Amino acid sequence: MDSAFQELLQDFLLEARERLDTVEGLLLSLGEIDDPAAALEQARRELHTLKGNSGMMGFSDLQELAHRME
């Protein structure tokens, strides 16, 4: 793997982890917040972005999983 791709991969992994952490937090807070529909919509947007980023990286399995979760 060349260093440019390695750097891109590291950026992808960092962002993917942040997005998944956000989704997890949103889902865990659903019973405690006033507007669960807004939280679900935000979680959907996070997954949508993860899906697109996965596709750009060529990770079709992750792209499909994010699509199903979305």
Side-chain angles (χ1 to χ4, degrees), residues 29-59:
S29 71
L30 284 176
E32 305 166 0
I33 58 177
D34 294 332
D35 192 359
L40 287 172
E41 178 58 24
Q42 183 179 352
R44 189 199 64 76
R45 286 192 310 270
E46 294 289 338
L47 290 167
H48 181 80
T49 301
L50 178 61
K51 177 181 72 174
N53 292 349
S54 298
M56 287 190 308
M57 292 294 293
F59 301 145

Side-chain angles (χ1 to χ4, degrees), residues 14-28:
L14 178 65
E15 185 177 334
R17 170 52 46 203
E18 290 171 356
R19 292 194 181 282
L20 290 172
D21 286 347
T22 298
V23 170
E24 179 181 31
L26 289 164
L27 294 177
L28 289 173

